Amino acid sequence: LLDGNKLPVKPGAELLELSQGRHKMDLRLAGKRVNRQTIRVKAGTYAVAALTVPFGWLKIKTQPESAAIFVDDSSWGTAPVEGSLAAGTHTVTAKIEGCGQVSVSKPIKMGEKADLTLNLPGRVKAKVIPADATIYLDGEQLGTGEAEVEAAYGNHDLEFRLDGFETVSHTISVT
């Protein structure tokens, strides 16, 4: 934009005739301003302005792997994935059917190479007989008889307890 008016984007340099005074040049990507320069033109002279797009690089991994990745609601494909982004804050979302999704805001600086790992939650479902036995996951009481809860990927301690009975413990892996 030049003084609020849209100009066609062309690679390289272009000579524009401007009236004397101050002029604002904005470079926008996807509606967001990514660079601004104010130039002052004096009568009978030339002014030179250069607007560059400040980019960074983002590498995205997920746990578990193979989540669908969206950056600012645009599909980037399946994790692991990487690409360039305009400097600024971006919303990164990872989705896996049956596991739900997780979204984070990720700031990207010009020239930065950033890594991001998103951990999607898994699910643990436990059922015990007799139904009045208490279910614990990593020491946290979930309920009695039957329970279902989100859990991070990896190993967890699952216990079943009932007064008068020996505690039953299992190490489970959410994958």
Side-chain angles (χ1 to χ4, degrees), residues 32 69-76 85 90-93 95 101 103:
K32 295 180 182 178
I69 301 297
F70 298 85
V71 178
D72 299 327
D73 295 324
S74 293
S75 176
W76 270 34
L85 282 170
H90 299 273
T91 301
V92 181
T93 303
K95 298 178 183 180
Q101 70 180 43
S103 295

Side-chain angles (χ1 to χ4, degrees), residues 15 52 72 80 106 122 152 157:
L15 184 62
T52 58
D72 299 327
K106 178 66 177 168
D157 295 319

Side-chain angles (χ1 to χ4, degrees), residues 53-74:
V53 179
F55 282 100
W57 192 261
L58 181 60
K59 184 175 185 177
I60 305 164
K61 296 178 182 178
T62 61
Q63 180 61 33
E65 294 182 353
S66 302
I69 301 297
F70 298 85
V71 178
D72 299 327
D73 295 324
S74 293

Side-chain angles (χ1 to χ4, degrees), residues 65-129:
E65 294 182 353
S66 302
I69 301 297
F70 298 85
V71 178
D72 299 327
D73 295 324
S74 293
S75 176
W76 270 34
T78 302
V81 66
E82 57 187 287
S84 64
L85 282 170
T89 301
H90 299 273
T91 301
V92 181
T93 303
K95 298 178 183 180
I96 292 182
E97 193 166 324
C99 292
Q101 70 180 43
V102 66
S103 295
V104 297
S105 291
K106 178 66 177 168
I108 300 295
K109 296 177 184 171
M110 184 170 80
E112 174 185 42
K113 290 184 177 179
D115 291 319
L116 178 63
T117 300
L118 297 172
N119 295 307
L120 285 96
R123 298 204 62 80
V124 172
K125 185 174 184 177
K127 184 175 184 178
V128 64
I129 297 173

Side-chain angles (χ1 to χ4, degrees), residues 13-15 18 25 37-41 45-51:
E14 185 172 350
L15 184 62
L18 301 173
M25 296 178 67
Q37 186 172 2
T38 301
I39 58 172
R40 187 169 183 227
V41 179
T45 64
Y46 290 96
V48 176
L51 293 177

